[in-house]
């Protein structure tokens, strides 16, 4: 069953009620779109992650969307989580060494080769969302990939998106503090820092940017935090003045448990029943 999108308890103070960040609270975010195995009228349907079908499904069920983007060798921006296509397609291709032509016909965990089940460009996804629901865009940085070019290309697409669709609400996030800093310096987009719990070095790496003096260099607008460390003192202290989102919630029981420990939740379920 789908989780209610308005079941997160908010304790807004003046900083959190900032209208530029209010969209981060209104709806739960579907992790990589609303994907997985669905059962409707005893018929099983599979929707791949980070696909046009998953994003359309999220919009249809009134959820916000979280997605991942990579830059290819031909400077095209695509929506995909991994750095290699192996897990989700029948081919093994390193994204940073490939072009859009190399990957555009790969099918995502499916025999279907329609647009809805292939790796989409970021532009196609933005055209689909069209301001209908809030969006969080995670930039996936890679070694030896020019992060500044990645940031500039992403900014160009998002500025065009803002110009085309007046009711746009979106935010940027990344594990890479250089990317967070770039967006804070050169744009007015809400920008957050991602913090993971595994491997353990990532807890330390993320936490040092929440402490003086690095917090004054980075100045993230929000955090997106692994549920395993959401209750750490440094996270909850930051939450007193800024939004903290929690990922990845995978059941109704987790939803209930974590809703008071963060300002919003990023969720996915492996099996869902549609009425």
């Amino acid at each position: 069953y789908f989780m209610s999108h308005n079941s997160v308890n908010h304790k807004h103070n003046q900083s959190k009620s900032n209208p530029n960040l209010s969209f981060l609270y209104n709806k739960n975010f579907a992790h990589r779109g609303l994907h997985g195995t669905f059962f409707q009228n005893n018929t099983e349907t599979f929707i791949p992650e980070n696909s046009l079908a998953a994003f359309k499904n999220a919009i249809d069920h009134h959820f916000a969307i979280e997605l991942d983007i990579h830059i290819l060798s031909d400077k095209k921006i695509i929506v995909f989580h991994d750095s290699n296509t192996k897990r989700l397609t029948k081919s093994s291709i390193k994204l940073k060494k490939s072009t859009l032509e190399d990957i555009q016909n790969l099918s995502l965990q499916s025999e279907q080769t329609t647009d809805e089940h292939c790796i989409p460009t970021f532009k196609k996804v933005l055209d689909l969302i069209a301001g209908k629901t809030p969006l969080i865009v995670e930039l996936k940085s890679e070694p030896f990939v020019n992060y500044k070019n990645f940031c500039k290309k992403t900014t160009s697409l998002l500025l065009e998106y803002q110009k085309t669709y007046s009711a746009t609400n979106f935010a940027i996030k990344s594990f890479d503090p250089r990317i967070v800093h770039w967006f804070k310096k050169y744009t007015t987009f809400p920008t957050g820092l991602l913090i993971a719990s595994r491997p353990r070095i990532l807890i330390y790496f993320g936490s040092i940017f929440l402490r003086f003096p690095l917090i004054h260099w980075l100045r993230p607008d929000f955090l997106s935090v692994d549920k395993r460390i959401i209750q750490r003192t440094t996270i909850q202290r930051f939450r007193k003045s800024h939004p903290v989102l929690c990922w990845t919630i995978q059941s109704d029981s987790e939803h209930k448990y974590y809703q008071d420990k963060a300002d919003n939740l990023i969720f996915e379920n492996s099996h869902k029943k549609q009425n």
Side-chain angles (χ1 to χ4, degrees):
Y1 290 94
F2 295 104
M3 292 176 284
S4 168
H5 66 256
N6 59 2
S7 57
V8 178
N9 295 323
H10 305 142
K11 289 182 274 188
H12 292 259
N13 59 25
Q14 192 168 8
S15 173
K16 287 186 180 178
S17 61
N18 182 328
N20 294 328
L21 298 178
S22 61
F23 69 92
L24 292 174
Y25 303 94
N26 296 338
K27 301 178 179 182
N28 288 159
F29 283 83
H31 189 235
R32 306 176 196 171
L34 196 55
H35 65 92
T37 302
F38 295 80
F39 299 94
Q40 186 172 25
N41 302 324
N42 295 321
T43 302
E44 183 177 306
T45 302
F46 179 76
I47 296 179
E49 66 178 61
N50 275 329
S51 65
L52 293 178
F55 303 136
K56 182 177 184 301
N57 200 27
I59 293 168
D60 289 346
H61 288 89
H62 309 292
F63 290 110
I65 291 168
E66 186 263 8
L67 56 76
D68 313 277
I69 60 174
H70 282 267
I71 188 166
L72 302 177
S73 64
D74 59 1
K75 306 297 185 289
K76 297 290 194 298
I77 308 288
I78 58 151
V79 177
F80 200 76
H81 179 269
D82 302 357
S83 59
N84 189 298
T85 62
K86 187 175 182 179
R87 178 175 65 90
L88 295 175
T89 75
K90 294 178 179 178
S91 303
S92 179
I93 298 174
K94 289 184 178 179
L95 293 181
K96 68 181 180 182
K97 295 183 177 180
S98 67
T99 66
L100 184 60
E101 187 178 0
D102 295 331
I103 58 97
Q104 63 184 356
N105 293 321
L106 296 180
S107 184
L108 292 167
Q109 295 177 303
S110 169
E111 296 306 315
Q112 297 187 47
T113 54
T114 62
D115 257 13
E116 286 204 341
H117 287 254
C118 291
I119 300 172
T121 63
F122 189 36
K123 174 72 165 61
K124 273 190 180 177
V125 172
L126 291 175
D127 288 344
L128 173 72
I129 297 172
K132 296 170 192 167
T133 198
L135 173 65
I136 294 178
V137 181
E138 178 182 345
L139 279 78
K140 311 291 282 189
S141 69
E142 284 203 67
F144 311 111
V145 170
N146 187 321
Y147 80 92
K148 292 180 181 178
N149 278 346
F150 190 13
C151 293
K152 289 173 185 175
K153 291 283 184 180
T154 302
T155 298
S156 177
L157 287 168
L158 287 170
L159 286 173
E160 188 63 31
Y161 180 60
Q162 274 185 328
K163 185 178 174 182
T164 307
Y165 305 103
S166 56
T168 57
N169 286 307
F170 61 81
I172 296 291
K173 69 175 181 178
S174 184
F175 284 109
D176 189 335
R178 299 172 305 166
I179 288 176
V180 176
H181 182 256
W182 191 95
F183 277 96
K184 288 293 296 179
K185 184 174 182 180
Y186 294 108
T187 78
T188 59
F189 304 160
T191 305
L193 178 68
L194 266 160
I195 304 179
S197 68
R198 294 176 183 174
R200 287 194 63 81
I201 187 66
L202 290 181
I203 302 177
Y204 172 76
F205 186 68
S207 296
I208 62 172
F209 285 96
L210 301 183
R211 301 178 190 275
F212 180 83
L214 289 177
I215 186 66
H216 294 292
W217 174 77
L218 196 64
R219 298 179 297 112
D221 296 307
F222 66 96
L223 298 181
S224 183
V225 181
D226 187 332
K227 64 190 175 188
R228 299 178 186 92
I229 55 171
I230 198 72
Q231 297 183 70
R232 288 176 73 93
T233 303
T234 49
I235 304 296
Q236 292 300 321
R237 186 184 300 130
F238 184 90
R239 191 183 167 210
K240 290 178 180 177
S241 57
H242 298 79
V244 172
L245 281 63
C246 179
W247 52 269
T248 306
I249 305 305
Q250 295 180 308
S251 66
D252 286 340
S253 60
E254 282 194 352
H255 189 272
K256 290 172 186 172
Y257 180 78
Y258 287 106
Q259 66 178 0
D260 294 327
K261 298 168 179 59
D263 298 291
N264 205 348
L265 306 175
I266 300 171
F267 76 94
E268 68 178 23
N269 286 345
S270 57
H271 297 282
K272 310 170 185 75
K273 183 187 293 183
Q274 292 183 332
N275 297 322

